[in-house]
Every structure is written in structure tokens, then in C-alpha cells.
């Protein structure tokens, strides 16, 4: 018997997320279940945007397919478009705790100096970087 992946929202997200965004995330979660790979921690990109500080905001579902809780402490996260790495940053996110066999949406904020964007992004995907602590 395999463990079923569950969708969860971090407490602050759960209180503040709009109905429309929640529905879009739930739909992305349902679609992603058929596409999850054998990676322990795959990501499903939902939105990519820039804010007024020119930080890159990448909202994605983080799928913890392991039997252990996941925390981001000095964890390298990269944004790829095909075979080109667009962004790389080391994240420590004390409030992000993802239980085993759980998917959770999160917005990763890449500082301006950590990315270089092309004119368009065709298929932006987050990945754990090399040397990431899991």
C-alpha cells in the first residue's frame, strides 16, 4: 500500500488566501497527482511574477513524497526553463514545515541578484539545487 499525497496550507496562507487562488491551487494539485515523478521532492509551478522590488516570485506546490517531514534550512532552490537555469537561491524558511506525503503551496522569493530572466519563460520549473539539505 502506498501513502496518498495530501494537500495542506501553511496556517497564514490558510487564513488569507482568496477563494479563487485556493481553487486554482487545488486544481493544480489534482492535475499534478498524475504527473508526479519518482523524485522525493518535486515541485509544480503555479505562478511566476516580479514584485515592485524586482524580486522574482515563484509560487509552486512543494510535494514531499517522503516519509519524513520537510524543512527548508540552507536549502538550494533553482528555477529552470528546459535545460537553462534561470535562478538559484539558498532558502531558510522557519515557518515552512511540510509533513510526510503532503503537498503545500509556497511562494519562493528570489532576490534580484539571484536570477536572470529571458524575454519569456516557456516551462519554468523549480528544483532542489545541488547540495540541498533535505
Amino acid at each position: 500500500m502506498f501513502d496518498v499525497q495530501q494537500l495542506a496550507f501553511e496556517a497564514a496562507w490558510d487564513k488569507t488566501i482568496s477563494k479563487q487562488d485556493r481553487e486554482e491551487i487545488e486544481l493544480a494539485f489534482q492535475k499534478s497527482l498524475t504527473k508526479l515523478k519518482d523524485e522525493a521532492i518535486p515541485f509544480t509551478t503555479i505562478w511566476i511574477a516580479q514584485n515592485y522590488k524586482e524580486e522574482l516570485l515563484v509560487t509552486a506546490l512543494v510535494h514531499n513524497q517522503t516519509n519524513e517531514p520537510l524543512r527548508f534550512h540552507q536549502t538550494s532552490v533553482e528555477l529552470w526553463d528546459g535545460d537553462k537555469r534561470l535562478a538559484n537561491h539558498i532558502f531558510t524558511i522557519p515557518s515552512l514545515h511540510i509533513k510526510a506525503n503532503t503537498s503545500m503551496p509556497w511562494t519562493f522569493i528570489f532576490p534580484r541578484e539571484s536570477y536572470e530572466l529571458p524575454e519569456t519563460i516557456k516551462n519554468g520549473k523549480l528544483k532542489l539545487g545541488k547540495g540541498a539539505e533535505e
Side-chain angles (χ1 to χ4, degrees):
M1 176 91 184
F2 62 92
D3 292 314
V4 176
Q5 199 72 13
Q6 300 291 318
L7 176 63
F9 290 86
E10 188 269 336
W13 275 61
D14 205 30
K15 291 177 192 164
T16 61
I17 191 167
S18 72
K19 184 176 188 283
Q20 179 181 346
D21 287 352
R22 181 182 296 270
E23 288 171 358
E24 193 166 340
I25 289 167
E26 288 171 352
L27 181 62
F29 172 71
Q30 290 302 322
K31 285 182 179 179
S32 71
L33 291 178
T34 61
K35 299 176 187 172
L36 290 179
K37 297 186 171 69
D38 293 335
E39 296 171 73
I41 315 292
F43 296 80
T44 299
T45 304
I46 301 171
W47 304 295
I48 299 175
Q50 282 182 292
N51 66 12
Y52 68 97
K53 296 184 203 174
E54 293 188 9
E55 294 168 322
L56 185 66
L57 312 177
V58 182
T59 301
L61 285 168
V62 182
H63 304 283
N64 180 5
Q65 298 186 111
T66 72
N67 293 318
E68 301 291 326
L70 172 67
R71 293 176 184 225
F72 281 76
H73 179 76
Q74 294 294 308
T75 303
S76 174
V77 178
E78 301 173 342
L79 175 65
W80 288 79
D81 189 14
D83 61 357
K84 183 166 174 48
R85 187 175 77 176
L86 305 178
N88 180 30
H89 189 64
I90 304 292
F91 290 90
T92 295
I93 310 168
S95 61
L96 182 57
H97 306 286
I98 304 175
K99 293 179 183 173
N101 302 299
T102 299
S103 299
M104 184 177 284
W106 194 260
T107 299
F108 293 88
I109 302 173
F110 291 86
R112 177 63 198 111
E113 64 277 2
S114 70
Y115 70 89
E116 189 171 319
L117 294 183
E119 288 293 315
T120 60
I121 298 174
K122 293 181 179 75
N123 194 14
K125 294 203 177 295
L126 289 177
K127 297 180 181 179
L128 287 180
K130 301 284 184 252
E133 288 185 22
E134 295 180 26

